Structures are given as C-alpha cells and as structure tokens.
Amino acid sequence: MSHSRKTCNSLAINMLYAKEGAVHIAISFKTSKFDVSKEHKNPYNHIYGESLLKWLKQELASEFVITAPDAEDWGWYSYITFNNRQYMLGASTYFENGDDPKSELEWLFQIDKPRSLKEKLLGREKISNADECVLFFKSKFEAQSDINSVAFE
C-alpha cells in the first residue's frame, strides 16, 4: 500500500472517531470485487466506499435492513439494526483517476456502536472485537473467496 493510501485510511479512522467521539472497530481487507469507478461522486472528498455498502445492503437484504449509503468527508456510511441495536457501518478506499478500477484495493470497513449517555457514563455497551456485529461482518468478509487479508486495524 502506498503512503497516500495509508494516510487516506488513517484519516478515515480519525475522522469517524472525531465525528462520533466514540471508539469503533476497523477491519481492513483487500479485494478487486468492487468497481469504484461506478460509484457516485463523494461531494466532500475523493474517497470511495459506496460500492462495498451497496453490496452489503443487497447481500444481506433477507436478514437485515441496511440504509442506503451516504457520503461523509471520511468515506461512506450506512446504518444497520443488528440484534435490536443500531450500528453505523463505514467504508472507504483510495482510488485515483487513471488507476485500474479492476485492481485490488485496500478497503477499510468501520463499525461504530452509538451509545446512550447513560451507557457512556456507566461504561456499558462498548464495542470490541468480540461484539457479535463485528464478528458477523469479519466472518462475512473472510467467507468471500475474492476478499483477502482480512484483519482488525
């Protein structure tokens, strides 16, 4: 991964952290599964991620309701209700005009678990690598033959 791609992914993590003021989980992986050249333009930044969230929305439609992806300055996000709890899903990858849209890209998938003020004050419901939603998505990516190098960031 080039320095600019690492910077982009680090920026995405930091932007989500700053925006939500909460800890989140990030999963990275590599794939050429998604054609980012067909994504809508992110009006805030040249960061892609919509195609991953659209794929998840379609792939999981029979099990979960995932909101349509929307753009943010750090990438793209959707919401999912998982086990009666809302989570925010974030996706980002770096791609420049002129790059091969079918090449393998490094993706960053983020999961945030919004908590109530009471949960924050009492230190409850913190997200972790053992959270059922986190493990579900990690195993979903690992089960795909065309997604590799799945790891927690």
Side-chain angles (χ1 to χ4, degrees), residues 10 23 31 38 44 46 50 52 56-58 69 72 81 103 106 109-110 112 116 121 125-127 137 147 152-153:
S10 296
V23 176
T31 189
K38 294 180 180 176
Y44 307 107
H46 295 295
E50 178 190 37
L52 168 58
L56 285 171
K57 181 175 174 52
Q58 180 181 350
E72 185 54 89
T81 301
S103 66
E106 183 162 348
F109 182 75
Q110 301 166 78
D112 181 54
S116 69
L121 290 172
E125 296 298 325
K126 292 180 182 177
I127 195 165
F137 281 104
I147 294 179
F152 287 118
E153 285 291 306

Side-chain angles (χ1 to χ4, degrees), residues 11 15 19 40-47 70-77:
L11 175 65
M15 293 304 292
K19 180 178 191 275
H40 290 102
K41 185 177 186 259
N42 183 322
Y44 307 107
N45 215 327
H46 295 295
I47 298 176
D70 201 2
E72 185 54 89
D73 60 355
W74 49 261
W76 291 79
Y77 69 94

Side-chain angles (χ1 to χ4, degrees), residues 1 5-6 8-10 12-13 24-32 34 52 90-94 104-111 129 134 137-144 146-153:
M1 175 176 23
R5 290 183 186 181
K6 279 187 179 179
C8 175
N9 285 343
S10 296
I13 290 172
H24 60 274
I25 301 297
I27 300 170
S28 64
F29 58 87
K30 295 180 180 180
T31 189
S32 58
F34 312 110
L52 168 58
S92 60
T93 192
Y94 185 75
E104 184 173 79
L105 299 174
E106 183 162 348
W107 288 82
L108 190 65
F109 182 75
Q110 301 166 78
I111 305 170
N129 291 357
V134 171
F137 281 104
K138 186 171 186 281
S139 66
K140 180 73 176 167
F141 297 138
E142 290 172 332
Q144 302 298 309
D146 48 2
I147 294 179
N148 57 68
S149 303
V150 178
F152 287 118
E153 285 291 306

Side-chain angles (χ1 to χ4, degrees), residues 16-17 19-25 67 74 77-90 110-121 123-128 131 133-134 137:
L16 179 59
Y17 181 79
K19 180 178 191 275
E20 295 297 319
V23 176
H24 60 274
I25 301 297
T67 63
W74 49 261
Y77 69 94
S78 292
Y79 288 95
I80 184 173
T81 301
F82 188 96
N83 288 345
N84 297 316
R85 179 136 197 147
Q86 186 179 65
Y87 290 81
M88 183 173 74
L89 309 175
Q110 301 166 78
I111 305 170
D112 181 54
K113 183 179 186 180
R115 299 184 299 151
S116 69
L117 178 59
K118 182 178 180 181
E119 288 171 334
K120 289 176 185 178
L121 290 172
R124 295 187 181 149
E125 296 298 325
K126 292 180 182 177
I127 195 165
S128 73
D131 188 284
C133 183
V134 171
F137 281 104

